[in-house]
Amino acid sequence: RLMGLYLGNNMLTGMIPTTIGSLSSLVHFDLAANGNVVLQSGMSGPIPSELGKCQNLVYVTLSNNLLGGTIPTELGTLTSLELLELWNNRLSGAIPAELSQCTNLTYVDLSGNELTGFVPSSLSRLTNLQKLHLDGNNLAGGLDVFCGIDFEIFSANICTMPDEIECTCCTHCCMLDSLTCTPL
């Protein structure tokens, strides 16, 4: 029974195999920091939808790679998920509303991608959410639906794109180039 797969910081290349879905006991999945933007190498391709079959997942860390495509809607079936880190990849498309079904989420970082569209208001039902990072994307619309949540950190593109993102309750302005967050 494999419960943890920790392969971060190993300069791995290639795609995440779809057979990842057969690891039904997997609780921790870490492939972070295998990407090298200068060398254009690292984990690439889409996040396989089969990851949604790993129903015991609590931590998914795929940050700092070259992963592309959309965020699979199947991740919404991961009801035990507490941490979702997908920052600094090449993910595009909309944030799936299905993520609102992951009611145990406390930390979500989708920053530094190419995500577009509106942030699903259904994500405001994630009452356990403490940290939400959406900055460094091409999102639009208002975020005031999240103002009822007592975030520890809530960051969006309000620093660099104040005309596209409206957020009267964002707590921090985070800049990807300096990796710093400053209180608003």
Side-chain angles (χ1 to χ4, degrees), residues 31-164:
L31 279 179
N34 281 300
N36 186 319
V37 177
V38 175
L39 298 176
Q40 293 295 302
S41 66
M43 298 303 298
S44 59
I47 298 170
S49 59
E50 289 82 359
L51 193 58
K53 294 179 182 176
C54 301
Q55 291 297 299
N56 292 310
L57 274 172
V58 175
Y59 300 102
V60 173
T61 306
L62 303 176
S63 301
N64 208 18
N65 281 294
L66 302 172
L67 298 172
T70 60
I71 298 171
T73 58
E74 290 82 359
L75 294 185
T77 66
L78 302 176
T79 55
S80 297
L81 195 63
E82 294 178 14
L83 179 137
L84 179 62
E85 286 188 324
L86 303 177
W87 57 271
N88 202 23
N89 277 292
R90 295 179 175 165
L91 298 171
S92 59
I95 298 171
E98 288 82 357
L99 289 180
S100 65
Q101 297 167 24
C102 302
T103 55
N104 287 311
L105 275 172
T106 60
Y107 183 95
V108 175
D109 193 338
L110 305 177
S111 61
N113 282 290
E114 300 164 10
L115 298 172
T116 56
F118 294 93
V119 179
S121 61
S122 60
L123 294 182
S124 68
R125 293 193 301 261
L126 295 173
T127 56
N128 293 317
L129 200 56
Q130 297 171 8
K131 296 180 183 177
L132 177 61
H133 294 273
L134 301 173
D135 43 286
N137 285 293
N138 297 309
L139 299 169
L143 298 176
D144 285 346
V145 67
F146 293 95
C147 289
I149 298 174
D150 187 22
F151 285 110
E152 189 175 316
I153 294 180
F154 180 25
S155 63
N157 292 44
I158 58 171
C159 312
T160 56
M161 298 170 54
D163 295 335
E164 283 98 26

